[in-house]
Amino acid sequence: MWSIVSAEWFKLRKSKMVPIILAGPIIGLFIGLTSNLESNMEGLPINNWYIPLFSMNLTYALLFLPLITGVFTGIICRYEHQSGGWKQLLALPVTRGKVFVAKYVLVMLLVMAMQLLYLCSMIAVGMIKGYVDPFPMEIVWKSIFGGWVATLPLVALQLWMSIMFKSFAAPFAVNVIFTLPSILAINSKTIGPYYPWAQPFAMMYVGGNTDDIFFVPWEQLITVVGGGFLLFFLGGYLYFQRKAV
């Protein structure tokens, strides 16, 4: 398994992955520095570090995080869709299951790296603006890790779509089509908790109940995120096992 992951990482090093990983954190940094929520919250008993969490998460977690995960899955399957790459790969002494799992694990590691860089951009905003309030480590880490957990089903589905379609544009278009309605879904108490593309924002939004795991109820985490992950991961895994190459 480790050799397969290493081989996938070697292929990714040849692609322009670094600018893609930096795109979300840089945009979040720009939003955090240009937002003027401090003036609106002046006098309120609130930790200043929550201000960049509110302003940056709105755009990053709602749009850029789910969209960029789709770019990751498209890139990690791009080489195999060119010049009979699937046949060359599967001719090696590796199983299809291990190849699928290795690609999924590597994409999730890339998402975690982007989340950590986003955390660095959040800290940079606070340092540049001179926040003196205590850094809410527990809340921030819950937001960062919660956003990563929320992408588990999305990455599984997008990897499935990227394996299915040869064109990079097709799975990305599907991801965009389902990401944009999340802007409306988060405002609905009936649709929002069950819409997979709205979960990154819900689990990174510090305005939720801080007593809940990742700011959402356990039932929502298990059924929507956990259930969606099992459904999409097993679907993609079984599809790849039977895919004609």
Side-chain angles (χ1 to χ4, degrees):
M1 176 63 72
W2 176 247
S3 61
I4 301 176
V5 174
S6 300
E8 293 293 336
W9 171 245
F10 179 78
K11 288 187 289 186
L12 281 178
R13 289 172 57 189
K14 299 295 184 179
S15 60
K16 298 179 181 180
M17 185 61 67
V18 174
I20 299 174
I21 296 177
L22 293 176
I26 290 176
I27 292 173
L29 177 65
F30 175 78
I31 293 174
L33 292 176
T34 56
S35 66
N36 195 27
L37 288 180
E38 288 88 352
S39 59
N40 297 331
M41 297 184 179
E42 187 176 356
L44 296 177
I46 185 173
N47 189 317
N48 283 334
W49 286 101
Y50 290 161
I51 298 176
L53 277 173
F54 286 126
S55 60
M56 295 167 64
N57 282 357
L58 181 61
T59 302
Y60 174 81
L62 192 58
L63 294 176
F64 285 98
L65 180 55
L67 288 176
I68 293 178
T69 55
V71 177
F72 288 158
T73 57
I75 290 177
I76 205 171
C77 295
R78 185 180 61 178
Y79 287 101
E80 282 72 24
H81 284 307
Q82 297 174 349
S83 304
W86 287 117
K87 292 183 179 180
Q88 298 175 25
L89 175 61
L90 298 178
L92 299 174
V94 296
T95 64
R96 295 191 179 203
K98 288 184 178 180
V99 171
F100 184 86
V101 173
K103 287 182 177 291
Y104 181 83
V105 169
L106 188 54
V107 172
M108 292 307 304
L109 290 176
L110 292 174
V111 176
M112 175 56 74
M114 187 173 67
Q115 286 291 90
L116 293 177
L117 290 172
Y118 176 70
L119 171 61
C120 293
S121 67
M122 189 185 305
I123 295 174
V125 169
M127 295 178 63
I128 294 173
K129 291 193 172 184
Y131 294 156
V132 295
D133 291 341
F135 185 74
M137 181 66 70
E138 181 180 354
I139 297 296
V140 171
W141 273 111
K142 185 184 291 188
S143 175
I144 296 296
F145 190 66
W148 180 79
V149 171
T151 62
L152 287 170
L154 300 184
V155 170
L157 175 61
Q158 291 159 15
L159 182 58
W160 182 0
M161 295 293 103
S162 297
I163 292 174
M164 181 183 300
F165 297 107
K166 292 184 178 181
S167 171
F168 176 85
F172 184 73
V174 172
N175 190 30
V176 171
I177 290 172
F178 285 100
T179 297
L180 294 180
S182 61
I183 300 175
L184 301 176
I186 60 172
N187 295 314
S188 173
K189 293 183 179 180
T190 56
I191 300 176
Y194 304 102
Y195 193 66
W197 280 264
Q199 301 313 303
F201 176 79
M203 295 173 65
M204 292 187 69
Y205 181 57
V206 296
N209 190 351
T210 57
D211 295 329
D212 290 327
I213 184 72
F214 303 135
F215 312 119
V216 297
W218 265 109
E219 296 79 6
Q220 181 176 337
L221 178 64
I222 295 173
T223 57
V224 181
V225 179
F229 165 72
L230 290 176
L231 177 63
F232 298 144
F233 186 88
L234 291 177
Y237 185 92
L238 294 175
Y239 171 81
F240 187 52
Q241 293 284 5
R242 302 171 183 176
K243 176 180 171 65
V245 295

